[in-house]
Amino acid sequence: MREYCGPTFVEAWRGCAGVRHQNGRWPPAWLLPTPRATVRSQTYGEWRRLPWRGWLQRVFCQQCGAPTEQREIQDTPRPVCTSCGTVVYLDPKLAVALVIERGGRFLLGRRGEGTREAGKWGFPAGYVDRGEVVEAAAVREAREEVGLEVVLGPLLGLLSTEGESVVLAVFAAEIAEGEPVAGDDLIELGWFTPDALPPLAFAHDQHILTAWHDWRGAGALHSTMR
């Protein structure tokens, strides 16, 4: 699962051009290819380091390159350009997760070094690319993360948490072709029963299990009513 989807080179260049325009010189470290960026605080005048994820949207206006500041817009704190007044609306990021079950066991992957919650386990998952059909993204992530061609089942649910930027679409899936092979940021795969799960990486993994059990239970109930 990709950890970051950030600004383009042109967007970042425009943002740093705004810093140069405001301060008369470039930041001391031009770090576009690196995970962090250095900018100068407009309030205090000192250089400070900001997380790369989303730093452009928090600091610079993508219309004119000027810095932004937090203001209450429609009862929500939002970045607003201090020069042209453009409001930056930070949209959620859509991701997909797959529940691949075989013989009463779930396919989980162990996360590698350099990822969030490294060493823990989770369902195959990844981000949807801009312009990509959600179902196609789920099939692609199965191929990239666990080396499988899958046939998607129903959408089990949409999971979101207040304060989090990611919305997770969870699909049931069946193996159509291939054998599981760890790929992308996973270092190991395993099949686990619901009562013998390894340490799970995220709180939403338990919600995924609940959604799957609810779907299975509804299917069994429907069968008995026929």
Side-chain angles (χ1 to χ4, degrees):
M1 181 173 181
R2 296 184 299 279
E3 291 293 324
Y4 169 71
C5 181
T8 65
F9 179 87
V10 173
E11 289 171 336
W13 181 88
R14 290 179 66 187
C16 285
V19 173
R20 186 182 186 187
H21 174 73
Q22 295 290 327
N23 300 317
R25 59 192 178 97
W26 294 107
W30 179 240
L31 301 176
L32 269 179
T34 67
R36 301 179 70 85
T38 304
V39 298
R40 185 168 182 170
S41 167
Q42 300 299 312
T43 304
Y44 302 104
E46 83 280 6
W47 296 107
R48 59 194 175 102
R49 296 183 69 81
L50 296 173
W52 175 261
R53 184 192 300 267
W55 69 272
L56 179 68
Q57 292 176 317
R58 289 198 299 269
V59 179
F60 301 116
C61 173
Q62 297 184 32
Q63 299 297 321
C64 69
T68 64
E69 64 181 11
Q70 293 287 331
R71 298 180 190 171
E72 289 287 329
I73 304 294
Q74 299 172 340
D75 299 323
T76 302
R78 301 186 190 278
V80 179
C81 179
T82 56
S83 178
C84 69
T86 297
V87 180
V88 179
Y89 291 92
L90 303 178
D91 297 325
K93 181 64 178 173
L94 181 61
V96 291
L98 298 103
V99 181
I100 303 173
E101 181 259 344
R102 183 170 66 183
R105 298 185 298 168
F106 300 110
L107 181 62
L108 302 178
R110 189 157 70 94
R111 300 172 62 80
E113 292 296 326
T115 64
R116 292 174 59 194
E117 303 296 337
K120 294 185 178 181
W121 297 74
F123 291 91
Y127 288 118
V128 179
D129 291 330
R130 180 178 294 184
E132 186 177 25
V133 175
V134 176
E135 291 83 356
V139 172
R140 173 180 56 77
E141 287 295 340
R143 186 182 306 121
E144 293 176 355
E145 295 229 330
V146 296
L148 294 173
E149 297 296 330
V150 300
V151 175
L152 292 186
L155 175 68
L156 301 181
L158 289 173
L159 305 182
S160 60
T161 303
E162 185 174 359
E164 292 289 336
S165 61
V166 177
V167 176
L168 190 63
V170 183
F171 290 92
E174 295 183 356
I175 298 176
E177 183 180 344
E179 288 296 324
V181 177
D184 205 357
D185 54 8
L186 301 180
I187 58 174
E188 183 182 355
L189 300 178
W191 294 94
F192 300 91
T193 59
D195 58 351
L197 295 174
L200 297 177
F202 305 110
H204 66 235
D205 290 323
Q206 192 60 53
H207 297 315
I208 291 174
L209 285 170
T210 300
W212 184 87
H213 282 296
D214 289 345
W215 169 63
R216 279 298 197 190
L221 178 62
H222 180 70
S223 297
T224 60
M225 295 175 63
R226 289 181 178 177

